Amino acid sequence: MANQFLALSLFIMLLSFFIVINALSNFEEVKARPVLNSISLAFSSKNIADETAPSFEETNEQHFNDGDAIDQVEALFKAQITGHKVTKNSLGTVMHIRLPLRSFERGVGAANEVGKNPEKARRGAGGFFLTTLVSLLQARNTGIPYRMEMLLNMPRNPAQAYNKNPKLVNEALQKVSGYAEQLEAAGLPRKLMSAGLSEGKDGYIDLYFRRYVAFNPLGDENNNGESGE
């Protein structure tokens, strides 16, 4: 029993020694890198130095660029627009947002301000939202541009509604075209947006976001994969 107590005491003293040493030690990445490289050379065929070094300190730039454009657009709508509903496809490459028309107008500016005073609409409450949305769709941070499709909902099929009340359909078309003009005035190219009408819940607008694919009339084999625009 005495030998067992002595061995246990020595073990506790040794454990306490390492705990104290660990508490007093400081981590230095410069000194840790050679050790990681040595472990990589011994147990792996791939050198860890060839890869991007792990980040031990979060920066604002890294945090701002987290996620792709879809994730960033979704975060923008959650922060700035109320009453919207977001759905994505199984691959996460297409996002659908349905939101009240009034909320959307507060973001991009009312359609009737586009022709009268576009600069006033741009400086309104939705100025930050509009400029940020345009920046995300142009992929200034992600490198992959996205296209936005705007479909203004009508209580019935637009084609059938036009046969009975052309004025009502023309007014709706003029309104959704005004949103497109407002986005274009803020710097969004026409190729990254489209506008139209659809049958759906009245007073709401549907937005679809998907990766922009340039139309290539010559095909990929004739121009080595370059865009046709």
Side-chain angles (χ1 to χ4, degrees):
M1 292 295 294
N3 292 334
Q4 294 179 0
F5 282 121
L6 180 60
L8 179 61
S9 300
L10 292 175
F11 175 77
I12 294 176
M13 291 176 62
L14 184 62
L15 179 62
S16 302
F17 172 76
F18 282 109
I19 292 176
V20 173
I21 293 298
N22 183 66
L24 297 177
S25 63
N26 294 323
F27 178 81
E28 295 185 12
E29 184 179 357
V30 177
K31 295 182 179 180
R33 179 54 49 184
V35 178
L36 294 176
N37 289 337
S38 177
I39 296 175
S40 176
L41 290 173
F43 298 100
S44 175
S45 60
K46 186 176 182 181
N47 194 341
I48 194 172
D50 297 335
E51 300 178 355
T52 303
S55 175
F56 297 98
E57 182 178 355
E58 182 181 7
T59 63
N60 294 332
E61 181 179 1
Q62 290 173 334
H63 181 73
F64 178 77
N65 291 331
D66 285 347
D68 56 12
I70 286 285
D71 297 328
Q72 295 178 16
V73 170
E74 181 182 3
L76 176 65
F77 272 85
K78 287 183 178 179
Q80 299 291 327
I81 304 295
T82 59
H84 65 278
K85 180 180 179 182
V86 180
T87 56
K88 297 181 181 179
N89 64 346
S90 57
L91 299 178
T93 56
V94 179
M95 180 172 64
H96 169 220
I97 298 180
R98 170 170 288 184
L99 69 160
L101 190 58
R102 290 184 178 180
S103 298
F104 181 70
E105 287 184 344
R106 283 196 296 268
V108 302
N112 56 8
E113 291 289 349
V114 176
K116 297 179 180 179
N117 194 342
E119 189 65 26
K120 178 182 177 181
R122 195 182 311 165
R123 293 195 308 263
F128 170 79
F129 175 86
L130 180 60
T131 55
T132 306
L133 178 61
V134 170
S135 176
L136 294 176
L137 292 177
Q138 293 187 91
R140 294 173 181 171
N141 298 316
T142 62
I144 303 176
Y146 273 74
R147 179 179 177 87
M148 181 176 72
E149 180 180 359
M150 297 176 290
L151 295 177
L152 181 61
N153 287 333
M154 300 188 66
R156 59 186 306 173
N157 186 283
Q160 297 177 357
Y162 184 82
N163 293 330
K164 292 188 176 182
N165 193 344
K167 182 180 179 181
L168 179 64
V169 177
N170 288 333
E171 290 177 352
L173 282 173
Q174 185 177 3
K175 178 179 292 187
V176 72
S177 298
Y179 304 145
E181 292 177 10
Q182 183 68 3
L183 288 166
E184 185 177 0
L188 185 65
R190 291 185 179 182
K191 65 180 182 180
L192 296 183
M193 62 178 169
S194 61
L197 304 176
S198 66
E199 182 179 2
K201 189 175 182 180
D202 191 24
Y204 281 75
I205 187 171
D206 289 325
L207 307 177
Y208 293 88
F209 299 88
R210 53 175 57 88
R211 286 188 178 185
Y212 168 71
V213 179
F215 174 69
N216 182 9
L218 301 178
D220 294 336
E221 297 181 357
N222 295 332
N223 61 356
N224 297 325
E226 297 178 356
S227 65
E229 295 192 5

